[in-house]
Amino acid sequence: MRVGDIALFRFFRDGITSKRSQIADSVKSLSDGKRVRHASDDPSGARTSLLLRGRLARIEGYQRATRASRFDLVTIDQNLGQIIGLVTEARTHAMAGVTGVLSEGNDERADTIDALRHEILSLANVYQNGRYLFGGTETLTAPFDPAGAYQGNGDEARAPLDQGEDVGVTVDGGTTLQGAGDLFLLLEDLAAALRAGDTAAVQALIPDFSVQLDQLTGVRNDIGNRISRIDSFDQRHGDEKLRLMTRISEIEDASLEQIATELAAADASVQALSSTASRVLGRSLFDYLG
Amino acid sequence: MSTLFGFYDLGLRALSAAQAGMQVAGDNISNVNTPGFARRRLEFVPGPPIQMKGGSIDQGVEIGRLRRMEDTLLLRTLEKEQGSWGEADERLRGLRDVETLMGTVDGEGILSAMGRFSQAFSELAGQPESLALRRGAVSSAESLASLIRDTHEKLRAQQRLENDAIANTVDRINSLASRLAEVNNQIREQEVAGDLAAGSRDQQEKIVKELAELSGGTAVRTGAGKIAFYLAGGHTLVTGDEKSVDAILLETTKRGPLGQIRILAGADGSDITSKIRGGRLSAMVDLRDNVIGEKIADLDTVASELIRRVNALTTGAVDLDGNPGSALFQSDPPFSRPAASIRVDPAILSDPRLLAVSATGAPGDGSAAMDIAEIPGSPSGTFGNRSMTAFLADSIARVGSQVTETEIRHSVAGGIVEELEVRRDSISAVNLDEEAVELMKFQSAYQAAARFMQALNEMTEITVNLV
């Protein structure tokens, strides 16, 4: 075929431009390690990747929400543990009041019971991260006043675990400490009986402590279950996150070996084209005319 | 029989022919890099014979026709493909712009802002009384609204750019049509005067090529060197009248609230905007009215749904001080162009206590926040039972698919145009080797003719000395 000079220039120009464009793409992929940056790089892959990234963001949201909630539940669990210890100690004092020499140390025992009551009140009014944990959803008011009257409500503040799944992150202090009889009133009655030296009254109160301990242990078990549930979701989210990130990486990331090979091939083409162009272009029969 | 002096005419014709040949080769060499230039070749014919004893003999050489080396059938195919390539090239450029505006897969965009919005409200649901988390949630809502507004504004700006480009392209088409009519008339006049009008024909081909690329129209060679030009739908842009060629220019008018340029046929003023097929102009119209229009509509749907669903929850809830909640998002005017004006209520933005996320009124109840967090990811009838995020991902992926499809069309059309140009060049382009040979040929012819003249001169001198 007859080839015009302008066509020859165009062959070389278009060839070199096309290869340089390939080199630019390969260098970009090498620098950020990405194969898919825009939707047009792989439309269906990009769609999947965008949806996976959306799910990834949701999982991170659930994880952040449950991390703070877990911290609160652990505090509730610890405080309940301490309250159970204090109630057990109060029962021990009651039993000692009955079995020991009643006249000896009655007032001191009563004072101790008062101190235990005060400490339990303080533990139930725990305030953490700007909220009270034993007031249900009334998280900005101290759950119990100094007289032991419950100021909260019967609800629970809830945090999301996943779509359609949530967990209570506060407790209803009224049910917890006063649902099986008023714990504060029980302690007040015990202190009064000790001060009065009324062994029969003290004796009569001891079974109520067992009921309180059963109630507190039941709530604590529930809190433990909630923490386990959070941990279970956290574990599941961690696994899912890893799976999503792996899948996103498979879609978006470039194969460095492939890019390096393509880059080398394109570079070799440019060199060959440039070298041929410098030999062929600008040379004509005129160069040989005397 | 020719006289001695008659031989001088013969020699002069030979010298002139060689000079003319050299001139044509020189012209070809000068235009070796001129786009659209079709090389010329001079035809030579033997001079009229004269009778002499023993038979007739030609009176040397005469300069014949100057030919432009071209294949009109090939040119017609090239013009047609030029329109397809122009359309694909313009569409690809516009789609890539739109794709860039919609954000990268792994970078900042409406979808990632939506993810942060859900995260912030999830966190708030667990601790709704936290002012820090309230501030974070309100800020994530404003950040999402701001990205929707920003993307909407950029798409509108792109739509305005396409609109301006349509107006400029129509102006350019009119200018080319007028020029084509002028060149058509010039060619007619030059050819009547016996001129080949090669330069004008080069110009004519160049104009037609650009017209086809811009408008996707069709050129019809009507004979005697004239070219009529028709747009899709049969609208005549340049008449191919035998006696006088005219351009019937397009007109434009602005219509609609956005001042969209509409293209009107010059002859009867009918709106032919949607009838334009092929060429850059049709791609610009499609980008403005369909591609970008669709993306803006998608954003409006997302903004409208976001406003409706979030506000339904916050207005049904109670703020941190126990007061009835107000709408978190506002738009101005309500719901007409929601993506253009979606924003967080400034009062809530400055005082996050006003954000209503409690369904019961208790400060520790964040059930509305929990529901708000699920809005982007939960299916909705508005999005054909898809979630808001899936709807947006589909919208972004659709642009990606359009870019990919157009890249293929662009590559195919580009390949065809390139192949046709190679074939056109194989006939019309200048080859310097060939021209060097031509130069040598005419140089030799000139030398030979000069020697002939020298010999003739010597003969004449001998004859004169005899007297």
Side-chain angles (χ1 to χ4, degrees):
Chain A
M1 188 176 69
R2 190 181 166 279
V3 180
D5 281 64
I6 198 167
L8 207 54
F9 274 101
R10 212 170 43 231
F11 287 151
F12 282 113
R13 185 200 61 197
D14 293 351
I16 291 173
T17 305
S18 154
K19 291 296 165 190
R20 284 205 181 280
S21 166
Q22 276 181 26
I23 289 175
D25 285 346
S26 297
V27 168
K28 210 188 281 179
S29 291
L30 276 181
S31 66
D32 65 6
K34 293 284 177 194
R35 181 184 71 89
V36 178
R37 285 177 214 90
H38 293 99
S40 58
D41 294 331
D42 177 358
S44 75
R47 182 188 181 277
T48 308
S49 184
L50 285 167
L51 291 176
L52 295 179
R53 282 179 178 279
R55 174 66 186 154
L56 197 60
R58 286 300 293 127
I59 288 176
E60 283 167 358
Y62 293 131
Q63 284 186 317
R64 278 157 67 171
T66 49
R67 210 162 287 146
S69 306
R70 189 184 192 284
F71 183 57
D72 287 347
L73 285 173
V74 167
T75 302
I76 292 172
D77 179 58
Q78 286 171 348
N79 284 20
L80 280 174
Q82 286 184 56
I83 290 171
I84 288 169
L86 294 172
V87 172
T88 307
E89 190 182 336
R91 187 176 64 175
T92 307
H93 282 291
M95 289 166 77
V98 173
T99 56
V101 182
L102 198 59
S103 57
E104 263 185 29
N106 278 348
D107 287 340
E108 289 83 352
R109 283 203 179 91
D111 289 346
T112 304
I113 297 300
D114 285 343
L116 292 176
R117 180 187 176 280
H118 181 75
E119 203 173 337
I120 290 170
L121 197 63
S122 167
L123 287 166
N125 280 339
V126 60
Y127 184 75
Q128 181 172 283
N129 287 333
R131 69 190 333 198
Y132 291 99
L133 303 180
F134 280 79
T137 54
E138 286 296 344
T139 50
L140 294 178
T141 311
F144 296 95
D145 69 8
Y150 184 56
Q151 312 290 311
N153 61 26
D155 297 331
E156 285 168 350
R158 304 192 75 78
L161 287 171
D162 206 328
Q163 193 161 13
E165 298 281 346
D166 57 21
V167 64
V169 292
T170 60
V171 289
D172 164 14
T175 304
T176 308
L177 300 176
Q178 295 171 330
D182 188 336
L183 176 62
F184 299 113
L185 198 59
L186 178 63
L187 292 168
E188 283 171 23
D189 288 348
L190 176 62
L194 286 170
R195 282 197 182 92
D198 185 347
T199 314
V202 173
Q203 175 79 51
L205 290 173
I206 290 172
D208 292 346
F209 280 97
S210 299
V211 173
Q212 287 292 340
L213 284 171
D214 287 347
Q215 167 73 5
L216 287 167
T217 307
V219 174
R220 197 180 177 203
N221 285 342
D222 176 45
I223 297 298
N225 288 337
R226 293 188 206 180
I227 292 171
S228 299
R229 195 154 168 254
I230 286 177
D231 289 344
S232 162
F233 270 92
D234 198 39
Q235 174 70 41
R236 208 184 302 168
H237 284 151
D239 293 345
E240 190 180 353
K241 210 170 145 181
L242 187 65
R243 207 170 55 246
L244 291 174
M245 286 166 80
T246 307
R247 183 77 190 102
I248 289 170
S249 169
E250 282 169 3
I251 294 169
E252 292 182 7
D253 291 351
S255 154
L256 293 185
E257 297 82 358
Q258 193 182 338
I259 295 169
T261 312
E262 286 168 1
L263 188 59
D267 188 44
S269 290
V270 168
Q271 281 184 33
L273 278 166
S274 305
S275 154
T276 314
S278 71
R279 279 205 311 275
V280 173
L281 293 179
R283 182 171 298 183
S284 71
L285 199 52
F286 287 105
D287 297 320
Y288 303 98
L289 295 179
Chain B
M1 182 180 166
S2 185
T3 62
L4 190 59
F5 287 108
F7 288 147
Y8 276 102
D9 283 343
L10 192 143
L12 185 61
R13 276 200 291 273
L15 284 172
S16 299
Q19 272 182 343
M22 295 276 277
Q23 193 179 350
V24 170
D27 184 33
N28 286 341
I29 292 167
S30 317
N31 285 293
V32 64
N33 291 324
T34 305
F37 178 82
R39 71 194 164 99
R40 281 58 152 151
R41 279 287 174 262
L42 196 56
E43 288 180 350
F44 297 100
V45 289
I50 54 164
Q51 289 301 319
M52 57 185 292
K53 201 173 178 180
S56 66
I57 186 166
D58 295 332
Q59 278 278 60
V61 65
E62 277 193 354
I63 297 171
R65 199 160 61 100
L66 183 66
R67 285 176 56 209
R68 278 178 82 246
M69 306 304 285
E70 65 173 2
D71 177 342
T72 48
L73 187 63
L74 189 65
L75 284 175
R76 277 163 58 185
T77 316
L78 182 58
E79 283 153 15
K80 186 170 163 286
E81 293 303 328
Q82 201 75 34
S84 305
W85 177 82
E87 192 272 338
D89 190 58
E90 193 64 35
R91 190 174 161 77
L92 186 58
R93 191 264 318 142
L95 283 168
R96 281 186 175 145
D97 287 347
V98 173
E99 188 184 31
T100 305
L101 294 180
M102 298 298 282
T104 54
V105 174
D106 63 338
E108 277 303 301
I110 296 172
L111 273 171
S112 53
M114 217 165 248
R116 284 197 302 277
F117 172 80
S118 281
Q119 279 179 359
F121 275 85
S122 275
E123 258 189 290
L124 180 64
Q127 285 182 279
E129 64 288 279
S130 162
L131 277 179
L133 292 183
R134 278 176 171 269
R135 214 163 277 127
V138 171
S139 150
S140 76
E142 177 52 29
S143 163
L144 174 60
S146 147
L147 257 170
I148 292 174
R149 281 198 314 268
D150 187 49
T151 309
H152 180 273
E153 178 47 39
K154 283 177 178 159
L155 285 169
R156 286 295 308 281
Q158 189 65 32
Q159 212 174 23
R160 284 193 289 272
L161 282 176
E162 297 296 347
N163 205 36
D164 291 346
I166 290 168
N168 292 337
T169 305
V170 169
D171 286 349
R172 180 69 185 151
I173 287 172
N174 279 339
S175 157
L176 288 167
S178 302
R179 185 78 195 111
L180 180 59
E182 276 173 35
V183 173
N184 273 341
N185 287 324
Q186 274 172 19
I187 291 171
R188 185 172 58 84
E189 285 164 15
Q190 286 170 329
E191 289 191 345
V192 166
D195 187 356
L196 170 68
S200 298
R201 280 171 182 269
D202 282 346
Q203 268 192 56
Q204 191 188 40
E205 296 300 345
K206 212 173 147 192
I207 291 167
V208 167
K209 187 180 167 193
E210 191 179 345
L211 260 181
E213 184 183 321
L214 292 178
S215 69
T218 313
V220 176
R221 281 149 182 86
T222 58
K226 285 180 281 297
I227 295 182
F229 200 88
Y230 302 97
L231 297 181
H235 172 69
T236 307
L237 196 60
V238 179
T239 64
D241 196 279
E242 281 291 317
K243 290 183 181 165
S244 168
V245 182
D246 292 319
I248 303 167
L249 301 185
L250 299 172
E251 288 172 10
T252 55
T253 184
K254 288 186 177 181
R255 287 201 191 134
L258 306 174
Q260 288 105 320
I261 298 284
R262 307 297 302 176
I263 304 163
L264 308 179
D268 56 7
S270 59
D271 190 333
I272 57 166
T273 314
S274 56
K275 291 180 185 159
I276 305 276
R277 292 279 179 278
R280 292 188 182 273
L281 189 59
S282 77
M284 289 168 191
V285 171
D286 184 52
L287 283 163
R288 180 193 66 180
D289 296 344
N290 299 321
V291 176
I292 302 175
E294 183 191 291
K295 293 302 138 203
I296 289 176
D298 284 353
L299 277 185
D300 277 332
T301 308
V302 166
S304 164
E305 188 67 357
L306 194 66
I307 292 169
R308 187 182 69 77
R309 291 177 66 186
V310 171
N311 286 355
L313 288 165
T314 58
T315 51
V318 175
D319 71 13
L320 195 54
D321 297 316
N323 300 312
S326 56
L328 174 62
F329 288 117
Q330 295 179 336
S331 68
D332 184 32
F335 291 89
S336 62
R337 276 264 88 106
S341 57
I342 181 172
R343 62 187 179 276
V344 167
D345 177 358
I348 298 177
L349 203 56
S350 59
D351 182 6
R353 296 177 66 86
L354 299 177
L355 175 63
V357 293
S358 168
T360 63
D365 173 29
S367 47
M370 212 178 307
D371 292 340
I372 290 172
E374 297 301 340
I375 287 174
S378 54
S380 159
T382 309
F383 304 119
N385 267 348
R386 285 172 296 172
S387 66
M388 203 177 276
T389 50
F391 176 78
L392 268 174
D394 283 346
S395 181
I396 292 169
R398 203 159 47 245
V399 182
S401 296
Q402 287 172 320
V403 171
T404 312
E405 286 161 18
T406 311
E407 272 173 349
I408 294 168
R409 277 205 297 120
H410 183 257
S411 169
V412 170
I416 292 172
V417 167
E418 197 179 307
E419 177 61 29
L420 289 170
E421 278 185 340
V422 167
R423 282 170 58 193
R424 177 202 172 275
D425 285 349
S426 74
I427 295 165
S428 302
V430 176
N431 180 305
L432 287 178
D433 291 335
E434 278 181 8
E435 299 309 323
V437 170
E438 288 290 302
L439 278 182
M440 286 193 294
K441 191 170 82 182
F442 289 116
Q443 195 180 9
S444 303
Y446 191 86
Q447 280 172 348
R451 287 300 300 269
F452 173 74
M453 291 295 275
Q454 195 183 356
L456 193 60
N457 196 33
E458 284 168 12
M459 281 171 70
T460 309
E461 204 176 307
I462 292 166
T463 309
V464 169
N465 287 340
L466 287 174
V467 178

